[in-house]
Amino acid sequence: MKLAADQPQRVAIYGDLHCDSHDPRAIDLACKIFADFHPSLAINLGDGVNMDGVSFYVGDPRRSLRIQYELDAYFAVQSQINEATAKARRIYIMGNHCQRLEKALQAKLPGLVHLKALRLNAVLRLDELG
């Protein structure tokens, strides 16, 4: 979908979902606003997940085993947002939390960095999300 430069655009901008500590009520409210707003463009500023389990920063050790939960929660939340912005063109910008996986692989397992299955777009299932 190409955006017409001579016509005003409705743009929904969101980010920092941090889908393991997100507030479902906030997501529901945002989706209601998006659905009423009918954006032609939806821009996701990234950080849909925390990736604490591969962070160099010491955090809550209980969260280190939750990466798959974060990814599944992100997919569900982003699917909900996609439904609310159904006619919008989508742009995804990688946030610093999402870069943690690549940085951890580079530091600890550099031979795996180039595996397609471990690239951010594959891990977050961005192609499936559109």
Side-chain angles (χ1 to χ4, degrees):
M1 169 195 308
K2 210 170 197 181
L3 298 176
D6 60 340
Q7 295 181 1
Q9 302 296 319
R10 292 177 174 250
V11 181
I13 301 173
Y14 62 97
D16 292 291
L17 300 172
H18 296 282
C19 290
D20 69 334
S21 55
H22 68 287
D23 182 344
R25 296 168 301 173
I27 301 297
D28 289 342
L29 177 60
C31 286
K32 287 177 186 173
I33 292 168
F34 293 160
D36 289 343
F37 185 62
H38 303 288
S40 54
L41 179 63
I43 302 173
N44 181 340
L45 299 176
D47 289 346
V49 292
N50 281 319
M51 294 279 183
D52 284 341
V54 291
S55 175
F56 291 111
Y57 302 101
V58 178
D60 183 345
R62 294 171 294 179
R63 293 175 65 149
S64 65
L65 301 176
R66 295 174 54 94
I67 292 176
Q68 188 62 56
Y69 170 80
E70 291 181 37
L71 296 171
D72 293 343
Y74 173 76
F75 188 83
V77 168
Q78 187 59 56
S79 295
Q80 184 180 352
I81 292 171
N82 285 1
E83 191 175 309
T85 59
K87 295 186 179 186
R89 177 177 164 225
R90 291 175 188 40
I91 295 176
Y92 178 84
I93 299 171
M94 187 186 322
N96 64 313
H97 285 250
C98 293
Q99 292 173 341
R100 288 177 173 174
L101 177 60
E102 185 177 332
K103 287 179 180 181
L105 287 171
Q106 190 71 39
K108 304 282 185 179
L109 300 165
L112 299 180
V113 170
H114 300 291
L115 285 178
K116 291 178 183 177
L118 294 177
R119 290 191 183 149
L120 184 64
N121 64 328
V123 171
L124 292 179
R125 300 163 58 188
L126 295 181
D127 288 342
E128 197 174 334
L129 289 167

